[in-house]
Amino acid sequence: SISLAMEAVRNIYAGIASGKGLMFKCSVDSQIGPALLVDPIRLRQILNNLVSNALKFTISGSIEINAELVARGEHDERVRFYVRDTGIGISERDRARLFQPFAQAEGDRRISGTGLGLAISQRLATMMGGSIEMMSEPGKGTTVILELLLPIGDPQMLVKADSVSTRDWLSR
């Protein structure tokens, strides 16, 4: 489920956030349909990358991950996942480079990593027919938005789904 996928990501990072004195919030819009077809492994990988970055660059304040219903069609729903932080923020110049493999923002050299997370996340989002957008301002935090158009599945299939096929289903 979307809730379970987001909660799994939150649980991975809750201890780190708590250790840094950060509030960590997670919410799922109750209007999101009960049976959406998606690859939960890719979704978790994207959210893991985004939350990991948020934690890396947030010294105080909070991190939140939210899923919101944007639009519902006859056969699909448009869902936006937000990862917001109150971290150091990223300049416009650096934002333009960050989706390139091995690129990192300049500035605080104490923070390191491969710089692959955003490039991989963007590639996964594209493979899922979605997109990633980043809004940020130095000193004021960052918001990364993952938007996916998810086909609506048959809710009755959720009951019949076995452990192998549940990878293909996401429900609220």
Side-chain angles (χ1 to χ4, degrees), residues 20-21 69 83 133:
K20 291 180 77 172
L69 178 67
V83 177
E133 177 185 355

Side-chain angles (χ1 to χ4, degrees), residues 119-165:
I120 290 170
S121 295
Q122 185 175 47
R123 184 167 181 209
L124 289 171
T126 301
M127 290 169 64
M128 296 170 72
S131 63
I132 291 185
E133 177 185 355
M134 177 185 286
M135 298 173 292
S136 186
E137 191 175 328
K140 297 193 176 181
T142 301
T143 299
V144 182
I145 302 167
L146 165 65
E147 186 166 312
L148 298 173
L149 186 62
L150 302 174
I152 298 171
D154 179 355
Q156 293 190 13
M157 292 301 292
L158 293 173
V159 177
K160 298 175 187 173
D162 60 30
S163 61
V164 173
S165 62

Side-chain angles (χ1 to χ4, degrees), residues 12-32:
I12 289 169
Y13 296 103
I16 297 167
S18 177
K20 291 180 77 172
L22 302 173
M23 286 188 57
F24 199 155
K25 306 171 201 168
C26 181
S27 68
V28 178
D29 186 340
S30 63
Q31 295 182 42
I32 293 173

Side-chain angles (χ1 to χ4, degrees), residues 57-141:
F57 298 107
T58 304
I59 296 157
S60 65
S62 65
I63 293 169
E64 48 183 293
I65 52 176
N66 306 308
E68 295 178 1
L69 178 67
V70 176
R72 177 176 289 125
E74 188 177 342
H75 302 289
D76 50 38
E77 290 184 0
R78 185 169 298 281
V79 178
R80 279 191 193 134
F81 299 86
Y82 296 86
V83 177
R84 294 183 178 102
D85 67 58
T86 58
I88 61 174
I90 303 161
S91 72
E92 186 174 346
R93 185 185 73 164
D94 281 336
R95 279 196 314 274
R97 298 175 341 122
L98 280 180
F99 289 95
Q100 302 302 316
F102 306 107
Q104 290 183 300
E106 295 177 11
D108 194 338
R109 297 288 179 201
R110 294 171 299 163
I111 302 169
S112 64
T114 63
L116 282 170
L118 285 173
I120 290 170
S121 295
Q122 185 175 47
R123 184 167 181 209
L124 289 171
T126 301
M127 290 169 64
M128 296 170 72
S131 63
I132 291 185
E133 177 185 355
M134 177 185 286
M135 298 173 292
S136 186
E137 191 175 328
K140 297 193 176 181

